[in-house]
Amino acid sequence: MSFLDEHRGAQTVAVMRSIRGRSQLKLNGESGKRLSEVAQILPVQILLPSLSDLVFGAPVERRRWLDWGLFHVKPNYLSTLREYLQVLKQRNAALKSHARGELGQQGIDVWTQKLLVSAERLDTERRSYMDDAAVEVLEVLEMLSPTLEIGISYRRGWPECESLEKVLSESLARDVKLGATSAGPHRSDIQLNAGAELKGRASSVLSRGQGKLLASAMVLGQARLLSKMSSRNSVFLIDDLGAEMDQKHSDALFRLLGEMGSQILATSTYPPGESRSARLSNDRVPVTMFHVEHGKIDARTSGEEPMFPEAT
């Protein structure tokens, strides 16, 4: 695959898999490259029908969204995250060993101190990023649905009014019993509020369509922030994103996507004249449509005669 990177120019990526299932990744013909290195220069946003899980799903969905954004704008974030997760794994192992009588509390204390240092670095990065990301998300949401009022706040994974050291000390007995650390950045979340005075949880207040709009604003807002901070556009892979939205909001979404100047690959079961992705071409955005039937791919750019005469 070839693509044009805003900073490095023309790039080529190749992935090969052997019969035994081993994979080899090459970047510009060089082997031994990590997937994270390729992902860094090719930001891909995947928008599936399950996109609303960002709003209605578990906190892990929103943490992935947060980590994706930080990975692309903070060069050292991935190593910071990996360090924290490794220390967390070691502390959890120490808790289990202590429960079996194989390790004294001093062994837990060693990993707790390491966790506190790593957690502070991770939390600082996330909090700083969310200050900027929330602004972008709310601006995009205003363009998509001006009447939908949402509050966005970062929850770090332990009470704001207490130190993590104090929380871990007080929960030590429970952590030993569970064999897991009950507080820290691995329990963080993005709190989304809606309803009267923004006091209700968005997951309980919003309809499925409104949830999809909010989730879309989170993804597009994140892509806008990436473009501003790193001068790099995202690639959008879309599978029927307009589902669960009325035509007005669906049109607003695709119009905004078209204005972002990103490459968009979208699938649809609609004929070209009715496809939601075809609406991009109405705003003078170049569109190429591919029709797949019986293993044959037929392409046509916007403005040509339709592939399906019966659909016109």
Side-chain angles (χ1 to χ4, degrees), residues 43-47 51 54 61-73 129-130 132-138 140 190 214-230 232-234 236 260:
V44 177
Q45 291 276 18
I46 302 176
L47 286 71
L51 178 63
L54 264 177
E61 301 291 341
R62 292 177 287 279
R63 283 196 295 273
R64 287 196 190 104
W65 172 85
L66 179 59
D67 289 336
W68 187 98
L70 274 158
F71 167 74
H72 283 288
V73 299
Y129 176 80
M130 274 306 302
D132 295 324
V135 173
E136 294 294 335
V137 170
L138 293 178
V140 170
I190 308 300
L214 174 54
S216 300
M218 291 175 69
V219 172
L220 268 65
Q222 192 175 64
R224 278 162 51 104
L225 181 59
L226 171 60
S227 180
K228 290 180 179 179
M229 296 182 70
S230 302
R232 178 169 278 128
N233 288 330
S234 301
F236 289 90
M260 292 179 66

Side-chain angles (χ1 to χ4, degrees), residues 21 28 57 83 117 141 185 196 200 273 275 312:
N28 297 324
E83 177 187 330
V117 174
L141 188 61
S275 170
T312 59

Side-chain angles (χ1 to χ4, degrees), residues 7 24 117-118 176 199 236 301:
H7 302 283
Q24 182 181 16
V117 174
S118 184
V176 169
K199 292 184 177 181
F236 289 90
T301 57

Side-chain angles (χ1 to χ4, degrees), residues 15-227:
V15 179
M16 294 167 284
R17 186 181 296 273
S18 68
I19 298 177
R20 296 182 179 180
R22 294 183 178 179
S23 298
Q24 182 181 16
L25 178 66
K26 288 187 176 183
L27 177 61
N28 297 324
E30 296 183 16
S31 302
K33 298 297 182 179
R34 290 186 175 183
L35 181 60
S36 59
E37 185 175 351
V38 176
Q40 188 78 52
I41 61 176
L42 185 63
V44 177
Q45 291 276 18
I46 302 176
L47 286 71
L48 303 176
S50 59
L51 178 63
S52 57
D53 286 349
L54 264 177
V55 176
F56 301 110
V60 64
E61 301 291 341
R62 292 177 287 279
R63 283 196 295 273
R64 287 196 190 104
W65 172 85
L66 179 59
D67 289 336
W68 187 98
L70 274 158
F71 167 74
H72 283 288
V73 299
K74 300 284 186 178
N76 297 323
Y77 179 74
L78 184 59
S79 61
T80 300
L81 177 61
R82 284 174 171 169
E83 177 187 330
Y84 173 79
L85 294 177
Q86 182 61 34
V87 173
L88 175 66
K89 181 180 178 180
Q90 295 294 336
R91 184 178 192 269
N92 288 344
L95 291 169
K96 294 172 184 176
S97 294
H98 182 70
R100 294 192 299 265
E102 300 171 357
L103 183 70
Q105 183 172 332
Q106 184 177 3
I108 298 177
D109 292 342
V110 170
W111 288 110
T112 298
Q113 290 304 312
K114 291 179 179 293
L115 187 79
L116 293 174
V117 174
S118 184
E120 182 178 359
R121 286 200 294 263
L122 187 61
D123 179 61
T124 299
E125 295 275 25
R126 285 177 168 178
R127 188 179 298 277
S128 175
Y129 176 80
M130 274 306 302
D131 287 342
D132 295 324
V135 173
E136 294 294 335
V137 170
L138 293 178
E139 285 184 359
V140 170
L141 188 61
E142 173 70 19
M143 289 183 274
L144 294 178
S145 182
T147 60
L148 186 57
E149 296 186 5
I150 296 294
I152 302 178
S153 56
Y154 170 67
R155 293 293 178 264
R156 61 183 182 173
W158 69 97
E160 292 287 338
C161 58
E162 298 182 11
S163 69
L164 180 57
E165 183 175 14
K166 179 175 182 291
V167 172
L168 291 179
S169 176
E170 294 176 347
S171 64
L172 180 59
R174 182 178 60 175
D175 287 359
V176 169
K177 183 177 180 180
L178 296 175
T181 304
S182 57
H186 61 288
R187 301 296 299 273
S188 68
D189 196 2
I190 308 300
Q191 185 168 315
L192 305 171
N193 285 38
E197 299 181 359
L198 300 181
K199 292 184 177 181
R201 289 295 181 100
S203 57
S204 301
V205 175
L206 301 184
S207 66
R208 297 297 299 185
Q210 290 173 323
K212 180 65 75 69
L213 277 171
L214 174 54
S216 300
M218 291 175 69
V219 172
L220 268 65
Q222 192 175 64
R224 278 162 51 104
L225 181 59
L226 171 60
S227 180

